[in-house]
Amino acid sequence: MAKWTPKHEAPEPLEGPIVPTIIGGTILWLVLFVVQLPFYGWYEDHGHAWWVWTCLAGGGLGFIGIYYVRRRDAAIKRDAARQAEAESGEAEAGDVEARPATN
């Protein structure tokens, strides 16, 4: 049986301010943790203590995410610089080959 869904090319990935987004999310999780902490007794009495620990886990995972996306951005920038250097090196080599030899 053939699939009736039309096939399309995948769109280009969206690149945006990834590092500030992850930092903002991490700050949000940690603020939620701190705001809920004074009410821990109430949460525990009602069986919702996991809400507090979920916010702490979100903040902790956010720190891992910040580390990851900062390294990713640095690697992307290094690769772009390396490619630009290689392209400029190829252009210079092409100029040398195009010049006639003089004696």
Side-chain angles (χ1 to χ4, degrees):
M1 185 178 249
K3 201 171 190 183
W4 59 270
T5 306
K7 294 184 178 184
H8 300 285
E9 286 187 32
E12 291 293 321
L14 296 175
E15 289 293 332
I18 297 171
V19 175
T21 302
I22 301 300
I23 290 173
T26 302
I27 289 171
L28 181 63
W29 279 116
L30 293 174
V31 165
L32 287 171
F33 171 71
V34 170
V35 167
Q36 290 179 358
L37 202 54
F39 305 103
Y40 183 77
W42 184 88
Y43 284 113
E44 191 172 34
D45 291 343
H46 291 85
H48 298 297
W50 62 272
W51 288 9
V52 177
W53 302 120
T54 300
C55 293
L56 182 61
L61 290 172
F63 284 123
I64 294 170
I66 291 169
Y67 172 76
Y68 175 79
V69 297
R70 289 186 68 192
R71 287 185 50 117
R72 178 183 177 270
D73 274 358
I76 289 171
K77 288 176 184 172
R78 271 194 316 270
D79 186 53
R82 196 174 296 136
Q83 286 181 356
E85 184 179 306
E87 288 174 1
S88 68
E90 289 174 5
E92 290 175 7
D95 290 343
V96 171
E97 292 173 7
R99 292 186 205 143
T102 56
N103 290 348

